[in-house]
Coordinates of all heavy atoms in Angstrom, one line a residue:
F382 N -42.0 87.3 93.5 CA -41.4 87.1 94.8 C -41.2 85.6 95.0 O -40.1 85.2 95.5 CB -42.3 87.6 95.9 CG -41.8 87.4 97.3 CD1 -40.9 88.3 97.9 CD2 -42.1 86.3 98.1 CE1 -40.4 88.2 99.1 CE2 -41.6 86.1 99.3 CZ -40.7 87.1 99.9
N383 N -42.1 84.7 94.7 CA -42.0 83.3 94.9 C -40.8 82.7 94.1 O -40.1 81.9 94.6 CB -43.3 82.6 94.6 CG -44.4 82.9 95.6 OD1 -44.1 83.2 96.8 ND2 -45.6 82.7 95.3
R384 N -40.7 83.2 92.9 CA -39.7 82.6 92.0 C -38.3 83.1 92.3 O -37.4 82.3 92.5 CB -40.0 82.9 90.5 CG -39.0 82.3 89.5 CD -39.4 82.7 88.1 NE -40.6 81.9 87.7 CZ -40.6 80.7 87.2 NH1 -39.4 80.1 87.0 NH2 -41.7 80.1 86.9
L385 N -38.1 84.4 92.4 CA -36.8 85.0 92.6 C -36.4 84.9 94.1 O -35.2 84.7 94.3 CB -36.8 86.5 92.2 CG -37.1 86.7 90.7 CD1 -37.0 88.2 90.4 CD2 -36.1 85.9 89.8
R386 N -37.3 85.1 95.0 CA -36.9 85.1 96.4 C -36.9 83.7 97.0 O -36.0 83.3 97.7 CB -37.8 86.1 97.2 CG -37.6 86.0 98.7 CD -36.3 86.6 99.1 NE -36.2 86.6 100.5 CZ -35.7 85.6 101.3 NH1 -35.4 84.5 100.7 NH2 -35.6 85.8 102.6
T387 N -38.0 83.0 96.9 CA -38.2 81.7 97.5 C -37.5 80.6 96.8 O -36.8 79.8 97.5 CB -39.7 81.4 97.7 OG1 -40.4 82.5 98.3 CG2 -40.0 80.2 98.5
K388 N -37.7 80.4 95.5 CA -37.2 79.3 94.8 C -35.8 79.5 94.4 O -34.9 78.7 94.7 CB -38.1 79.0 93.6 CG -39.5 78.5 94.0 CD -40.4 78.2 92.8 CE -41.8 77.8 93.2 NZ -42.6 77.5 92.0
Q389 N -35.5 80.5 93.6 CA -34.1 80.7 93.1 C -33.2 81.4 94.2 O -32.0 81.4 94.0 CB -34.2 81.6 91.9 CG -35.0 80.9 90.7 CD -34.9 81.7 89.4 OE1 -34.2 82.7 89.3 NE2 -35.7 81.3 88.5
Q390 N -33.8 82.0 95.2 CA -33.1 82.7 96.2 C -32.0 83.7 95.7 O -30.9 83.7 96.1 CB -32.4 81.7 97.1 CG -33.4 80.8 97.8 CD -32.7 79.8 98.8 OE1 -31.5 79.8 98.9 NE2 -33.6 79.1 99.5
L391 N -32.4 84.5 94.7 CA -31.5 85.4 94.1 C -31.4 86.7 94.9 O -30.5 87.5 94.7 CB -32.0 85.8 92.7 CG -32.0 84.6 91.7 CD1 -32.5 85.0 90.3 CD2 -30.6 84.0 91.5
G392 N -32.4 87.0 95.8 CA -32.3 88.2 96.6 C -33.2 88.0 97.8 O -34.2 87.3 97.8
Y393 N -32.8 88.7 98.9 CA -33.6 88.6 100.1 C -34.6 89.8 100.2 O -35.5 89.8 101.1 CB -32.7 88.6 101.3 CG -31.9 89.8 101.6 CD1 -32.4 90.8 102.4 CD2 -30.6 89.9 101.1 CE1 -31.7 91.9 102.7 CE2 -29.8 91.0 101.4 CZ -30.4 92.0 102.2 OH -29.6 93.1 102.5
I394 N -34.5 90.7 99.3 CA -35.6 91.7 99.1 C -36.0 91.8 97.6 O -35.2 92.1 96.7 CB -35.1 93.1 99.5 CG1 -34.9 93.2 101.0 CG2 -36.1 94.2 99.1 CD1 -34.5 94.5 101.6
V395 N -37.2 91.3 97.3 CA -37.7 91.3 96.0 C -39.1 91.9 96.0 O -40.0 91.4 96.8 CB -37.7 89.9 95.4 CG1 -38.4 89.9 94.0 CG2 -36.3 89.3 95.4
N396 N -39.4 92.9 95.2 CA -40.7 93.5 95.2 C -41.0 94.1 93.8 O -40.0 94.4 93.1 CB -41.0 94.5 96.3 CG -40.0 95.6 96.3 OD1 -40.0 96.4 95.4 ND2 -39.2 95.7 97.3
S397 N -42.2 94.3 93.5 CA -42.6 95.1 92.3 C -43.9 95.8 92.6 O -44.7 95.5 93.5 CB -42.9 94.1 91.2 OG -44.0 93.2 91.5

Side-chain angles (χ1 to χ4, degrees):
F382 181 86
N383 289 338
R384 180 179 292 272
L385 298 183
R386 172 68 176 87
T387 306
K388 295 181 180 180
Q389 298 184 10
Q390 298 184 357
L391 295 180
Y393 64 89
I394 293 182
V395 177
N396 59 64
S397 64

